[in-house]
Short mmCIF file of all heavy atoms in Angstrom, two decimals:
data_model
loop_
_atom_site.label_atom_id
_atom_site.label_comp_id
_atom_site.label_asym_id
_atom_site.label_seq_id
_atom_site.Cartn_x
_atom_site.Cartn_y
_atom_site.Cartn_z
N TYR A 18 38.02 -306.31 -160.90
CA TYR A 18 39.34 -305.94 -160.41
C TYR A 18 39.68 -304.51 -160.81
O TYR A 18 40.11 -303.70 -159.99
CB TYR A 18 40.40 -306.91 -160.95
CG TYR A 18 41.81 -306.49 -160.65
CD1 TYR A 18 42.37 -306.73 -159.40
CD2 TYR A 18 42.58 -305.81 -161.60
CE1 TYR A 18 43.66 -306.32 -159.11
CE2 TYR A 18 43.87 -305.40 -161.31
CZ TYR A 18 44.40 -305.65 -160.07
OH TYR A 18 45.68 -305.24 -159.79
N ASN A 19 39.48 -304.17 -162.09
CA ASN A 19 39.80 -302.81 -162.58
C ASN A 19 38.95 -301.75 -161.90
O ASN A 19 39.44 -300.69 -161.53
CB ASN A 19 39.64 -302.74 -164.10
CG ASN A 19 40.70 -303.54 -164.83
OD1 ASN A 19 41.78 -303.80 -164.31
ND2 ASN A 19 40.38 -303.97 -166.04
N MET A 20 37.65 -302.04 -161.74
CA MET A 20 36.76 -301.06 -161.13
C MET A 20 37.14 -300.83 -159.66
O MET A 20 37.22 -299.70 -159.21
CB MET A 20 35.31 -301.53 -161.20
CG MET A 20 34.35 -300.53 -160.59
SD MET A 20 32.75 -301.20 -160.17
CE MET A 20 33.16 -302.59 -159.18
N LEU A 21 37.36 -301.90 -158.91
CA LEU A 21 37.73 -301.76 -157.49
C LEU A 21 39.04 -301.00 -157.34
O LEU A 21 39.20 -300.19 -156.42
CB LEU A 21 37.81 -303.12 -156.81
CG LEU A 21 36.48 -303.84 -156.62
CD1 LEU A 21 36.70 -305.25 -156.09
CD2 LEU A 21 35.56 -303.06 -155.70
N LYS A 22 39.96 -301.22 -158.25
CA LYS A 22 41.23 -300.50 -158.23
C LYS A 22 41.00 -299.00 -158.48
O LYS A 22 41.56 -298.16 -157.78
CB LYS A 22 42.17 -301.10 -159.28
CG LYS A 22 43.58 -300.58 -159.24
CD LYS A 22 44.43 -301.33 -160.23
CE LYS A 22 45.79 -300.70 -160.36
NZ LYS A 22 46.59 -301.34 -161.40
N LYS A 23 40.18 -298.66 -159.46
CA LYS A 23 39.91 -297.26 -159.79
C LYS A 23 39.21 -296.53 -158.64
O LYS A 23 39.48 -295.36 -158.39
CB LYS A 23 39.05 -297.15 -161.04
CG LYS A 23 39.79 -297.41 -162.32
CD LYS A 23 38.86 -297.27 -163.51
CE LYS A 23 39.56 -297.63 -164.79
NZ LYS A 23 38.64 -297.55 -165.94
N VAL A 24 38.27 -297.20 -157.97
CA VAL A 24 37.51 -296.54 -156.90
C VAL A 24 38.17 -296.73 -155.54
O VAL A 24 37.61 -296.33 -154.52
CB VAL A 24 36.03 -296.99 -156.87
CG1 VAL A 24 35.34 -296.65 -158.18
CG2 VAL A 24 35.89 -298.45 -156.54
N ASN A 25 39.34 -297.35 -155.55
CA ASN A 25 40.15 -297.50 -154.34
C ASN A 25 39.40 -298.23 -153.21
O ASN A 25 39.41 -297.78 -152.07
CB ASN A 25 40.66 -296.13 -153.86
CG ASN A 25 41.83 -296.26 -152.92
OD1 ASN A 25 42.56 -297.25 -152.96
ND2 ASN A 25 42.01 -295.28 -152.05
N GLN A 26 38.76 -299.34 -153.58
CA GLN A 26 38.08 -300.17 -152.60
C GLN A 26 38.68 -301.57 -152.66
O GLN A 26 38.92 -302.10 -153.74
CB GLN A 26 36.57 -300.24 -152.88
CG GLN A 26 35.86 -298.91 -152.77
CD GLN A 26 35.94 -298.34 -151.37
OE1 GLN A 26 35.80 -299.04 -150.38
NE2 GLN A 26 36.19 -297.03 -151.29
N PRO A 27 38.91 -302.20 -151.49
CA PRO A 27 39.56 -303.50 -151.49
C PRO A 27 38.65 -304.66 -151.90
O PRO A 27 39.13 -305.71 -152.32
CB PRO A 27 40.02 -303.67 -150.04
CG PRO A 27 39.11 -302.80 -149.26
CD PRO A 27 38.74 -301.66 -150.15
N SER A 28 37.32 -304.48 -151.78
CA SER A 28 36.42 -305.59 -152.09
C SER A 28 35.03 -305.08 -152.43
O SER A 28 34.69 -303.92 -152.17
CB SER A 28 36.33 -306.54 -150.89
OG SER A 28 35.66 -305.89 -149.82
N VAL A 29 34.22 -305.98 -152.95
CA VAL A 29 32.83 -305.65 -153.25
C VAL A 29 32.07 -305.35 -151.96
O VAL A 29 31.22 -304.47 -151.92
CB VAL A 29 32.17 -306.81 -154.04
CG1 VAL A 29 30.66 -306.62 -154.14
CG2 VAL A 29 32.79 -306.92 -155.43
N ALA A 30 32.40 -306.06 -150.89
CA ALA A 30 31.73 -305.83 -149.60
C ALA A 30 31.97 -304.40 -149.10
O ALA A 30 31.03 -303.73 -148.66
CB ALA A 30 32.22 -306.83 -148.56
N THR A 31 33.19 -303.92 -149.19
CA THR A 31 33.45 -302.55 -148.74
C THR A 31 32.81 -301.53 -149.69
O THR A 31 32.36 -300.49 -149.25
CB THR A 31 34.96 -302.25 -148.59
OG1 THR A 31 35.61 -302.49 -149.83
CG2 THR A 31 35.58 -303.07 -147.49
N LEU A 32 32.77 -301.86 -150.98
CA LEU A 32 32.09 -300.99 -151.94
C LEU A 32 30.61 -300.87 -151.58
O LEU A 32 30.03 -299.79 -151.61
CB LEU A 32 32.26 -301.51 -153.36
CG LEU A 32 31.61 -300.69 -154.47
CD1 LEU A 32 32.19 -299.28 -154.52
CD2 LEU A 32 31.79 -301.39 -155.80
N ASN A 33 29.98 -302.00 -151.22
CA ASN A 33 28.58 -301.97 -150.79
C ASN A 33 28.40 -301.16 -149.52
O ASN A 33 27.42 -300.44 -149.36
CB ASN A 33 28.04 -303.39 -150.60
CG ASN A 33 27.53 -303.98 -151.89
OD1 ASN A 33 26.90 -303.30 -152.68
ND2 ASN A 33 27.81 -305.24 -152.11
N GLN A 34 29.35 -301.26 -148.60
CA GLN A 34 29.28 -300.49 -147.36
C GLN A 34 29.37 -298.99 -147.67
O GLN A 34 28.61 -298.19 -147.13
CB GLN A 34 30.41 -300.90 -146.42
CG GLN A 34 30.38 -300.18 -145.09
CD GLN A 34 31.55 -300.56 -144.20
OE1 GLN A 34 32.59 -301.01 -144.68
NE2 GLN A 34 31.38 -300.38 -142.91
N VAL A 35 30.27 -298.60 -148.55
CA VAL A 35 30.40 -297.20 -148.94
C VAL A 35 29.11 -296.73 -149.62
O VAL A 35 28.63 -295.64 -149.36
CB VAL A 35 31.62 -296.99 -149.87
CG1 VAL A 35 31.62 -295.61 -150.50
CG2 VAL A 35 32.91 -297.21 -149.08
N TYR A 36 28.53 -297.59 -150.47
CA TYR A 36 27.27 -297.22 -151.12
C TYR A 36 26.16 -297.03 -150.09
O TYR A 36 25.36 -296.09 -150.19
CB TYR A 36 26.85 -298.28 -152.15
CG TYR A 36 25.59 -297.91 -152.87
CD1 TYR A 36 25.59 -296.88 -153.80
CD2 TYR A 36 24.39 -298.55 -152.60
CE1 TYR A 36 24.43 -296.50 -154.46
CE2 TYR A 36 23.22 -298.18 -153.24
CZ TYR A 36 23.25 -297.16 -154.17
OH TYR A 36 22.09 -296.79 -154.80
N TYR A 37 26.11 -297.88 -149.08
CA TYR A 37 25.11 -297.75 -148.02
C TYR A 37 25.26 -296.39 -147.32
O TYR A 37 24.29 -295.67 -147.10
CB TYR A 37 25.24 -298.90 -147.02
CG TYR A 37 24.42 -298.69 -145.78
CD1 TYR A 37 23.05 -298.88 -145.78
CD2 TYR A 37 25.03 -298.27 -144.60
CE1 TYR A 37 22.30 -298.66 -144.64
CE2 TYR A 37 24.28 -298.05 -143.45
CZ TYR A 37 22.92 -298.26 -143.48
OH TYR A 37 22.18 -298.03 -142.35
N TYR A 38 26.49 -296.04 -146.97
CA TYR A 38 26.74 -294.74 -146.34
C TYR A 38 26.35 -293.59 -147.26
O TYR A 38 25.78 -292.59 -146.83
CB TYR A 38 28.21 -294.59 -145.93
CG TYR A 38 28.60 -295.38 -144.72
CD1 TYR A 38 29.69 -296.24 -144.77
CD2 TYR A 38 27.92 -295.27 -143.53
CE1 TYR A 38 30.07 -296.97 -143.65
CE2 TYR A 38 28.30 -295.99 -142.41
CZ TYR A 38 29.37 -296.83 -142.48
OH TYR A 38 29.73 -297.55 -141.38
N TRP A 39 26.70 -293.74 -148.55
CA TRP A 39 26.37 -292.71 -149.53
C TRP A 39 24.86 -292.50 -149.63
O TRP A 39 24.38 -291.38 -149.62
CB TRP A 39 26.95 -293.10 -150.88
CG TRP A 39 26.58 -292.16 -151.99
CD1 TRP A 39 25.74 -292.40 -153.02
CD2 TRP A 39 27.04 -290.82 -152.16
NE1 TRP A 39 25.64 -291.30 -153.83
CE2 TRP A 39 26.42 -290.32 -153.32
CE3 TRP A 39 27.90 -289.99 -151.45
CZ2 TRP A 39 26.65 -289.03 -153.78
CZ3 TRP A 39 28.12 -288.71 -151.91
CH2 TRP A 39 27.51 -288.24 -153.06
N GLU A 40 24.11 -293.59 -149.73
CA GLU A 40 22.65 -293.49 -149.81
C GLU A 40 22.07 -292.86 -148.54
O GLU A 40 21.17 -292.04 -148.62
CB GLU A 40 22.03 -294.89 -150.02
CG GLU A 40 22.16 -295.39 -151.43
CD GLU A 40 21.34 -294.57 -152.41
OE1 GLU A 40 20.11 -294.49 -152.25
OE2 GLU A 40 21.94 -294.02 -153.35
N SER A 41 22.60 -293.23 -147.39
CA SER A 41 22.13 -292.64 -146.14
C SER A 41 22.38 -291.14 -146.12
O SER A 41 21.53 -290.36 -145.70
CB SER A 41 22.85 -293.27 -144.94
OG SER A 41 22.55 -294.63 -144.86
N LEU A 42 23.54 -290.75 -146.58
CA LEU A 42 23.91 -289.33 -146.62
C LEU A 42 23.01 -288.54 -147.57
O LEU A 42 22.50 -287.49 -147.23
CB LEU A 42 25.38 -289.20 -147.05
CG LEU A 42 25.97 -287.80 -147.14
CD1 LEU A 42 26.08 -287.20 -145.75
CD2 LEU A 42 27.33 -287.87 -147.80
N CYS A 43 22.79 -289.08 -148.75
CA CYS A 43 22.00 -288.39 -149.77
C CYS A 43 20.51 -288.36 -149.45
O CYS A 43 19.80 -287.46 -149.89
CB CYS A 43 22.20 -289.03 -151.13
SG CYS A 43 23.84 -288.75 -151.79
N ASN A 44 20.02 -289.34 -148.71
CA ASN A 44 18.58 -289.44 -148.45
C ASN A 44 18.15 -288.79 -147.14
O ASN A 44 17.03 -289.01 -146.70
CB ASN A 44 18.14 -290.90 -148.46
CG ASN A 44 18.20 -291.48 -149.86
OD1 ASN A 44 17.99 -290.78 -150.84
ND2 ASN A 44 18.51 -292.75 -149.96
N GLN A 45 19.01 -288.01 -146.52
CA GLN A 45 18.65 -287.36 -145.27
C GLN A 45 18.85 -285.85 -145.36
O GLN A 45 19.64 -285.27 -144.63
CB GLN A 45 19.47 -287.94 -144.12
CG GLN A 45 19.17 -289.40 -143.90
CD GLN A 45 19.84 -289.92 -142.66
OE1 GLN A 45 20.20 -289.17 -141.78
NE2 GLN A 45 20.00 -291.22 -142.60
N PRO A 46 18.13 -285.19 -146.27
CA PRO A 46 18.34 -283.75 -146.45
C PRO A 46 17.94 -282.92 -145.24
O PRO A 46 18.40 -281.80 -145.10
CB PRO A 46 17.46 -283.41 -147.66
CG PRO A 46 16.44 -284.48 -147.71
CD PRO A 46 17.11 -285.71 -147.16
N THR A 47 17.10 -283.45 -144.36
CA THR A 47 16.72 -282.67 -143.19
C THR A 47 17.84 -282.64 -142.15
O THR A 47 17.96 -281.68 -141.40
CB THR A 47 15.45 -283.24 -142.54
OG1 THR A 47 15.67 -284.62 -142.21
CG2 THR A 47 14.26 -283.11 -143.47
N ARG A 48 18.67 -283.68 -142.13
CA ARG A 48 19.76 -283.74 -141.16
C ARG A 48 21.02 -283.08 -141.68
O ARG A 48 21.77 -282.47 -140.97
CB ARG A 48 20.06 -285.18 -140.78
CG ARG A 48 18.93 -285.77 -139.96
CD ARG A 48 19.20 -287.18 -139.61
NE ARG A 48 20.38 -287.25 -138.75
CZ ARG A 48 20.98 -288.38 -138.47
NH1 ARG A 48 20.55 -289.50 -138.96
NH2 ARG A 48 22.02 -288.40 -137.69
N TYR A 49 21.28 -283.26 -142.98
CA TYR A 49 22.48 -282.72 -143.59
C TYR A 49 22.08 -281.85 -144.78
O TYR A 49 21.35 -282.30 -145.65
CB TYR A 49 23.41 -283.85 -144.06
CG TYR A 49 23.62 -284.91 -143.02
CD1 TYR A 49 23.37 -286.25 -143.30
CD2 TYR A 49 24.05 -284.58 -141.75
CE1 TYR A 49 23.57 -287.23 -142.34
CE2 TYR A 49 24.24 -285.56 -140.78
CZ TYR A 49 24.00 -286.87 -141.08
OH TYR A 49 24.19 -287.83 -140.14
N PRO A 50 22.56 -280.65 -144.86
CA PRO A 50 22.10 -279.71 -145.89
C PRO A 50 22.72 -279.97 -147.26
O PRO A 50 23.45 -279.17 -147.80
CB PRO A 50 22.56 -278.37 -145.35
CG PRO A 50 23.79 -278.69 -144.57
CD PRO A 50 23.54 -280.06 -143.97
#
């Protein structure tokens, strides 16, 4: 509860979705500088 409140995410599922987007963003250096 405290962690989700601090990171402003409503649920673990949305936190996982944000992490998925984050990993995609960080692992594509050829597409995004």
Side-chain angles (χ1 to χ4, degrees):
Y18 172 81
N19 291 336
M20 181 199 53
L21 291 173
K22 188 175 171 185
K23 284 180 184 178
V24 299
N25 198 26
Q26 296 298 319
S28 68
V29 169
T31 58
L32 180 61
N33 275 319
Q34 182 183 23
V35 169
Y36 182 71
Y37 169 77
Y38 286 127
W39 175 250
E40 283 293 301
S41 297
L42 181 68
C43 290
N44 291 328
Q45 297 188 21
T47 56
R48 290 179 64 192
Y49 312 126

